[in-house]
Amino acid sequence: MVEVKNVYLPKSNGVLENFKKCLILAPLPVISLLIYMILKSTQIFPDDRPLANLWHPAYLGWYDFMLGISVAICMLNGIVKLDVKDLLFVLSLVTILLLSFTNASQLGDEYIVDSIVCFLRFVSIFYLAKALVIRLGTETAQSILMILFIILAISALFVYRLQLGSFNRIYASAMTVASFSQVSVIVCLIAVKGKYNKMALFSLLFLLLTFSRTSLVLLLFLFAIYSRTLPLKTTIKYYSVMIGVTIVSLFLLLTFGGDIFASVIAERTDTEGLSTLNSRDAIWGHAMMMFDSGYIPLFGIGWNATPYLIVNTNLSFIDKDGVYYPPHFHSIVIEYACGLGISSLFIWFCLIKRIWQTFYHNLYPAFFIFAFFLMSQSGDFTFYRPKELIIWSLMLGLAEGQWRLEHG
């Protein structure tokens, strides 16, 4: 492999200037990521997917080949390099994945291919992001995430315009409301840390339009932790802005949106829904009964194979359209415990270790990303569909890169 020396370009406060540096260093993968985020839902999700209820399908497409080849080129020219720690981590993940396959033979070869595709998506983008941080610095590499968020926000406006009146919570094309709100939170926190005030306000407005209770609460929680490092005057200013923007936004939505937004706010504040966490209590209770009964093998039923488990154990609800099977367990902890079994403990050990390390060293925004990933995915599992897997892999890679750069 060609040895390339680290390149540290002069620090700039402009998002576009920083993004240009990333584009110069790794043009093909950066452009591929931009194209990936532009994709419409109809370009990723086909109408006919008969096996979609047996596992979380990968929806492999030309966009994956484009992105994969571009990252491979970066590895060949030395921009993306894996050290011993990286290789051991990847080898551990491969071992866990193979162990989970031992109990998933009934799902066939297509399931194996889809799982490998999802794994390669994560590994390639995670280490691409890490490499960009090592080469260019944290602030410069994070500009990619901000530009990608702007693209997602633009696509969300188009989707919003088409669905307003039938579905009134904003989300980006080929993403869920929960996943778009999660990206909004991370971008908002990064913008606050980097003093990109316009970007912070922009992402906060989109977060409010998702009406995501989980993401909004976690944003306030993580900012409260971060505010320990800020002067009291600055903390009060940020809280005043957040509360003020929220109040003004709600007033404008109720005044000019009429019944459309009044119904959304009423639904999001419904006491029955809050008490059952939108039926999550029943879903999580069902999972606990499966664990108690010994239904889950030692090494799990297969990574991403929980839809098969949901159908076979008849985890269903009755709604206006008939019988409804939830697509997942609404918790990455349960998903991985079922899919990977005891091996999932290794993943949680590595993640919790990074959360503690970045918290102890006041390493922001790496702490934001690691901590928010665990907390948000524990209640709103989104880490499996193409765009959502790509964007989270990028964010986690940025966090890992910052840790390695400053304390690795």
Side-chain angles (χ1 to χ4, degrees):
M1 185 177 291
V2 181
E3 180 70 22
V4 180
K5 295 182 179 180
N6 288 348
V7 178
Y8 291 97
L9 297 179
K11 182 179 179 180
S12 170
N13 291 324
V15 173
L16 286 178
E17 288 79 4
N18 286 336
F19 178 74
K20 289 177 183 177
K21 296 173 187 177
C22 298
L23 194 59
I24 291 171
L25 179 64
L28 291 179
V30 171
I31 292 173
S32 297
L33 283 170
L34 294 176
I35 294 174
Y36 214 115
M37 293 302 119
I38 292 172
L39 294 173
K40 297 187 297 185
S41 298
T42 53
Q43 293 175 297
I44 296 179
F45 305 121
D47 293 330
D48 52 343
R49 186 74 184 189
L51 296 178
N53 65 333
L54 299 182
W55 63 81
H56 299 307
Y59 300 108
L60 178 64
W62 58 267
Y63 36 83
D64 289 302
F65 291 103
M66 174 185 65
L67 186 56
I69 291 172
S70 67
V71 174
I73 292 173
C74 284
M75 294 186 70
L76 290 175
N77 64 23
I79 294 174
V80 178
K81 296 185 292 186
L82 302 183
D83 57 25
V84 175
K85 292 180 180 178
D86 297 328
L87 292 173
L88 289 175
F89 183 68
V90 172
L91 181 60
S92 299
L93 293 182
V94 170
T95 303
I96 291 172
L97 187 64
L98 293 176
L99 287 173
S100 77
F101 287 166
T102 58
N103 296 304
S105 58
Q106 72 278 4
L107 296 178
D109 294 339
E110 188 175 352
Y111 158 73
I112 301 295
V113 172
D114 275 4
S115 296
I116 293 174
V117 168
C118 291
F119 175 78
L120 292 177
R121 278 181 186 147
F122 167 73
V123 170
S124 60
I125 303 307
F126 180 85
Y127 285 109
L128 170 68
K130 177 207 159 197
L132 290 175
V133 173
I134 298 297
R135 297 291 300 271
L136 298 173
T138 302
E139 185 178 356
T140 301
Q142 286 167 354
S143 65
I144 296 179
L145 175 61
M146 294 188 182
I147 296 299
L148 294 182
F149 176 73
I150 292 173
I151 292 174
L152 291 174
I154 293 172
S155 77
L157 289 175
F158 280 101
V159 175
Y160 206 40
R161 181 176 61 85
L162 293 174
Q163 296 192 355
L164 190 62
S166 59
F167 189 80
N168 305 312
R169 300 173 62 194
I170 200 168
Y171 62 95
S173 177
M175 297 181 75
T176 63
V177 174
S179 60
F180 183 59
S181 73
Q182 291 162 8
V183 182
S184 301
V185 169
I186 293 299
V187 171
C188 186
L189 289 169
I190 289 176
V192 169
K193 170 66 172 61
K195 295 182 173 59
Y196 297 109
N197 295 327
K198 292 180 181 178
M199 180 61 75
L201 181 60
F202 180 73
S203 55
L204 177 60
L205 288 173
F206 275 88
L207 172 60
L208 292 174
L209 287 174
T210 66
F211 294 93
S212 174
R213 298 166 302 198
T214 302
S215 291
L216 188 58
V217 169
L218 292 180
L219 169 66
L220 295 174
F221 175 71
L222 289 174
F223 181 76
I225 295 176
Y226 174 60
S227 64
R228 301 176 306 119
T229 65
L230 300 175
L232 179 60
K233 184 178 178 180
T234 303
T235 301
I236 294 174
K237 181 186 73 172
Y238 276 121
Y239 272 117
S240 299
V241 171
M242 285 190 287
I243 294 172
V245 169
T246 301
I247 292 174
V248 171
S249 298
L250 291 175
F251 173 77
L252 292 175
L253 289 175
L254 291 173
T255 301
F256 298 102
D259 294 337
I260 290 178
F261 292 107
S263 62
V264 177
I265 295 173
E267 184 268 331
R268 302 307 292 166
T269 56
D270 177 62
T271 54
E272 183 178 352
L274 289 171
S275 64
T276 64
L277 299 176
N278 286 4
S279 300
R280 283 173 175 78
D281 60 342
I283 294 173
W284 294 340
H286 184 90
M288 294 304 104
M289 286 190 293
M290 289 191 305
F291 290 126
D292 289 339
S293 64
Y295 192 85
I296 308 300
L298 183 63
F299 295 112
I301 63 166
W303 185 49
N304 279 346
T306 51
Y308 173 81
L309 182 63
I310 288 172
V311 171
N312 275 316
T313 59
N314 196 31
L315 174 54
S316 60
F317 299 90
I318 303 297
D319 62 13
K320 60 182 180 180
D321 298 319
V323 179
Y324 165 74
Y325 290 93
H328 48 70
F329 283 102
H330 283 283
S331 171
I332 195 172
V333 177
I334 296 176
E335 285 281 319
Y336 281 19
C338 292
L340 303 175
I342 195 172
S343 302
S344 63
L345 293 176
F346 171 78
I347 296 174
W348 304 131
F349 170 78
C350 293
L351 180 58
I352 293 172
K353 178 182 177 182
R354 281 289 185 266
I355 291 173
W356 168 249
Q357 289 172 326
T358 52
F359 171 77
Y360 181 79
H361 291 281
N362 288 323
L363 194 64
Y364 302 100
F367 169 74
F368 292 149
I369 296 173
F370 286 131
F372 184 70
F373 176 77
L374 178 59
M375 291 187 293
S376 65
Q377 295 297 311
S378 294
D380 276 322
F381 177 62
T382 65
F383 190 59
Y384 66 101
R385 300 202 298 180
K387 272 192 186 182
E388 297 157 342
L389 182 56
I390 291 293
I391 199 75
W392 260 119
S393 299
L394 177 73
M395 292 190 291
L396 289 168
L398 292 173
E400 179 66 14
Q402 185 184 10
W403 168 256
R404 294 285 195 94
L405 183 66
E406 300 189 29
H407 294 280

